[in-house]
Amino acid sequence: MITKFFSNMQLSSWTAKSEENRITRKHLGSFAKECDKIGHMVRVYDTTLRDGNQAVGVNFSVEDKVKIARRLADFGVDYIEAGWPNPTNSSELEVFTRLRKERLQSKIVAFGMTRKTDLSCQKDENLNALRTSDSDCIAIVGKAWLFHVERVLETTADQNLRMISDSIAYLKDYGYDVIFDAEHFFDGFKDNREFAMRTVSTAAQAGAQEMVLCDTRGRSMPNEVYEITAFVEKKIDKPLGIHAHNDRGLATANSLFAVMGGVEQVQGTINGIGERCGNADLVEVISNLELNLGVETGLDLSKLTRLSDYVYEIGNLTRNYYQPFVGKHAFAHKAGIHGHAVSKFPETYEHADPSLFGNTRSIVVSSQTGLANIMSKAKEFGLHLERYPAKAAEIMLRIKELEAAGYYLENADATLNLVYARSFGERLEYFDLIGWRAQVSGDPDGATCDSTVKVKVDGEPFIVAAEGNGPVNAFDIALKKALENQYPELAMVKLVGYRVREVDAEKGTAATVRVFIEFEADGRRWSTVGVSTNILKASEEALLDGYVYFLYKKSSRR
Ligand SMILES: [Zn+2]
């Protein structure tokens, strides 16, 4: 009989308690007694490079995969599923050759399917590609849902079981450790429990070291996952794992409930990228395992924010600023009363210390802001406003004026920092822009652009021309070249984001536009904003703020 999970559980005893943001098992109270499996170590199995690479819009190159694998190994995940070696894609095999040379601490896993219905293992090209992958371990996926076996593979239950056992035995014979992924396990279990159980028991008997229960369609509820996992755990005497998809937004919850049910391995991807709505987000899963369940993963959570950023960066994906734990806004406080409370007791509006995840708290300042947030923000900038209430009021007034003119300072911390610095009397006169022009020439093959910039630095004029792929780009290149005469450190500054928003769209092309620019140097990022009815003027303003901010921080070392 499957035990009913919610029957006599006191949920409040394990959700509400915390101690220094990192609860330990003793805080799990009655839940720990109910579920004594939780104390075990959980192995983290990352499939960013395989399932993550199946996300629409993601296409990692061999080089990208190697770079991400290095980061994952540095973070300390137990397994890195690096791809699906197959004869039609030589780059997949190259990944394994490259990773072998890297000698990473994590185990490198090759992923593939059981043999085809009508072929022996020896003749199955996909299995032979796995056999020559030279990985540390192989994950073999087999069907655990009879409906899929009969209707899609058009074969019988017994033949499917033979495909599972033959494939595992074949790879074991070549000395590989094998993990068995039971595809559609939860759907299969609900449809035909006996057959689903036979797939995992067959795999275990054939020598697979771990059976991974997959919620392939992301259709299960956490309580089902818990109950089914607990049932399987009692019947199979080898370790289990969970592979959850996020089609109903439950992948993280399902992964955690599987751990409660007794699995020892969790699979997922960084940022949850993956097929359709993605996989379980390891950022969420790992953080919750540690903080809410007291499970030791052996991983350094403080590397999570940078790891998450890195995967977005390499995958050329838009960051989710609202992502739990690692998002830029995950610990941002906008309402005045929140900012006030957080400055006294952060735990009033923060579930944990942001530094645990390598993230930082930020106090958001906008026209809706109260004086408390203006003060807290000053502290963040390394300025002290406590004794200058008149100055705080002056800054608040300036912010309201700017926002009324179309500026949006919530997402432009560097511009905001300059507003503060100017009101503190900082001179910020690193250079004078005398003027600039840009010329776009179009022909049937496209357009080219060049720009000439005239600046004065320390009284000395510089005139520099440059080409770019657009007027803003050409202006930026020329400006930077001119300034580098005096400030060579500007060479490290990269422009990493450029966005334009219309402020009053109903005026058509005469509308005011707001330009956001994001910069990066030395792993640090900052954003600026410019506003004008002319897009080039708005861009100029945001660009200048970005460079002035960099020079200001450099000179003040704040
Ligand atoms: Zn998957």
Side-chain angles (χ1 to χ4, degrees):
M1 277 295 288
I2 299 173
T3 51
K4 276 283 169 204
F5 173 58
F6 289 110
S7 55
N8 51 0
M9 201 67 59
Q10 291 176 342
L11 287 173
S12 61
S13 66
W14 57 276
T15 53
K17 290 183 180 172
S18 68
E19 178 190 89
E20 293 298 325
N21 307 313
R22 183 182 286 269
I23 64 167
T24 54
R25 281 200 74 212
K26 67 181 183 323
H27 296 286
L28 294 169
S30 61
F31 182 76
K33 286 188 211 110
E34 290 273 344
C35 205
D36 59 5
K37 293 275 186 265
I38 297 182
H40 58 223
M41 287 284 289
V42 169
R43 291 178 289 282
V44 173
Y45 183 111
D46 180 280
T47 178
T48 304
L49 305 182
R50 199 276 302 171
D51 229 344
N53 200 34
Q54 287 174 223
V56 174
V58 175
N59 190 11
F60 295 127
S61 66
V62 173
E63 198 57 42
D64 293 343
K65 285 189 168 190
V66 173
K67 282 185 188 164
I68 293 173
R70 282 187 200 129
R71 284 295 190 105
L72 290 167
D74 173 61
F75 178 50
V77 300
D78 298 277
Y79 296 97
I80 297 172
E81 191 174 81
W84 185 332
N86 62 79
T88 58
N89 189 347
S90 60
S91 70
E92 288 281 304
L93 280 169
E94 195 191 332
V95 170
F96 288 91
T97 313
R98 287 282 307 276
L99 290 177
R100 171 62 53 197
K101 290 184 191 147
E102 294 278 326
R103 298 179 176 279
L104 302 175
Q105 288 296 311
S106 312
K107 287 197 167 132
I108 303 299
V109 187
F111 175 88
M113 270 191 299
T114 52
R115 69 165 170 82
K116 293 199 174 66
T117 46
D118 53 351
L119 280 180
S120 68
C121 293
Q122 287 77 8
K123 289 191 177 150
D124 189 297
E125 286 189 334
N126 289 317
L127 272 184
N128 286 318
L130 285 173
R131 181 171 64 73
T132 54
S133 67
D134 204 17
S135 57
D136 298 310
C137 182
I138 290 174
I140 277 286
V141 62
K143 310 292 179 205
W145 186 10
L146 191 56
F147 170 80
H148 198 144
V149 169
E150 291 177 342
R151 301 295 179 86
V152 181
L153 297 190
E154 296 179 350
T155 189
T156 62
D158 285 342
Q159 170 69 324
N160 183 63
L161 295 173
R162 279 195 296 277
M163 286 155 60
I164 292 171
S165 61
D166 290 353
S167 307
I168 292 170
Y170 179 68
L171 295 167
K172 288 289 294 177
D173 276 351
Y174 283 92
Y176 282 101
D177 287 337
V178 179
I179 291 172
F180 178 65
D181 282 3
E183 193 185 29
H184 292 301
F185 183 81
F186 295 95
D187 293 319
F189 187 96
K190 286 181 264 179
D191 181 43
N192 185 328
R193 180 186 305 188
E194 194 210 335
F195 174 74
M197 287 305 296
R198 281 176 70 200
T199 62
V200 285
S201 61
T202 299
Q205 277 160 20
Q209 62 179 28
E210 270 173 301
M211 309 324 120
V212 179
L213 313 180
C214 303
D215 189 27
T216 309
R217 294 192 293 164
R219 195 171 182 275
S220 301
M221 281 286 289
N223 61 316
E224 291 173 329
V225 170
Y226 172 81
E227 289 164 8
I228 293 171
T229 305
F231 178 88
V232 180
E233 202 268 337
K234 287 197 181 76
K235 305 279 180 191
I236 303 287
D237 62 0
K238 285 191 172 174
L240 302 179
I242 179 75
H243 178 104
H245 274 269
N246 202 34
D247 300 66
R248 293 193 177 179
L250 292 169
T252 297
N254 283 338
S255 302
L256 297 172
F257 274 68
V259 171
M260 296 178 204
V263 306
E264 295 175 40
Q265 186 209 92
V266 286
Q267 300 197 349
T269 62
I270 301 299
N271 303 330
I273 57 172
E275 194 84 40
R276 305 183 307 280
C277 311
N279 290 57
D281 181 358
L282 283 180
V283 170
E284 293 178 354
V285 173
I286 293 167
S287 302
N288 276 293
L289 283 174
E290 292 263 349
L291 269 71
N292 272 334
L293 297 186
V295 171
E296 302 267 338
T297 60
L299 299 167
D300 179 2
L301 268 59
S302 70
K303 292 181 174 170
L304 271 177
T305 298
R306 293 198 78 167
L307 178 62
S308 160
D309 271 355
Y310 193 75
V311 171
Y312 281 126
E313 177 81 25
I314 300 284
N316 205 13
L317 296 163
T318 309
R319 283 171 173 72
N320 173 9
Y321 285 160
Y322 305 96
Q323 191 173 355
F325 306 102
V326 296
K328 188 176 169 188
H329 303 331
F331 298 94
H333 305 282
K334 183 169 170 180
I337 47 164
H338 290 201
H340 178 64
V342 163
S343 68
K344 289 186 166 178
F345 294 102
E347 59 268 50
T348 49
Y349 289 100
E350 286 176 359
H351 67 94
D353 179 345
S355 67
L356 275 177
F357 321 103
N359 207 343
T360 46
R361 170 178 314 131
S362 64
I363 302 295
V364 177
V365 164
S366 73
S367 55
Q368 304 168 30
T369 294
L371 276 177
N373 274 21
I374 298 279
M375 302 273 198
S376 305
K377 195 73 191 175
K379 253 189 232 163
E380 209 179 293
F381 291 149
L383 301 165
H384 296 282
L385 261 181
E386 297 85 350
R387 275 177 277 136
Y388 309 103
K391 199 176 285 300
E394 178 194 312
I395 292 173
M396 193 158 83
L397 188 67
R398 179 69 187 134
I399 289 166
K400 286 183 197 266
E401 278 169 12
L402 284 168
E403 296 221 338
Y407 289 80
Y408 189 65
L409 297 164
E410 280 180 39
N411 290 333
D413 247 18
T415 297
L416 183 65
N417 196 339
L418 296 180
V419 170
Y420 273 74
R422 286 194 179 101
S423 84
F424 270 76
E426 300 275 0
R427 288 173 58 80
L428 307 177
E429 288 163 3
Y430 302 99
F431 56 88
D432 265 337
L433 178 67
I434 310 295
W436 68 285
R437 61 182 174 77
Q439 186 173 308
V440 183
S441 339
D443 62 40
D445 295 330
T448 53
C449 196
D450 58 76
S451 170
T452 308
V453 170
K454 194 172 174 187
V455 288
K456 247 188 195 172
V457 187
D458 281 344
E460 195 184 339
F462 296 94
I463 300 175
V464 173
E467 284 188 348
N469 55 24
V472 176
N473 181 241
F475 167 60
D476 177 44
I477 295 169
L479 175 68
K480 230 167 84 171
K481 265 196 200 168
L483 296 177
E484 276 172 31
N485 286 301
Q486 193 67 19
Y487 304 110
E489 64 270 34
L490 277 173
M492 70 167 78
V493 179
K494 276 193 301 180
L495 199 155
V496 292
Y498 176 85
R499 283 181 295 128
V500 181
R501 294 273 182 279
E502 285 183 27
V503 180
D504 40 9
E506 67 277 10
K507 288 186 187 163
T509 52
T512 301
V513 292
R514 182 191 293 140
V515 169
F516 285 106
I517 301 186
E518 196 174 5
F519 300 82
E520 187 188 272
D522 237 358
R524 289 191 56 197
R525 283 175 178 245
W526 64 96
S527 306
T528 59
V529 60
V531 170
S532 172
T533 48
N534 181 320
I535 189 170
L536 294 179
K537 201 68 194 157
S539 306
E540 173 202 298
E541 191 182 10
L543 271 176
L544 294 185
D545 267 8
Y547 294 126
V548 168
Y549 173 82
F550 175 79
L551 295 169
Y552 165 58
K553 287 285 156 180
K554 204 82 186 156
S555 63
S556 62
R557 296 193 187 281
R558 269 188 279 239

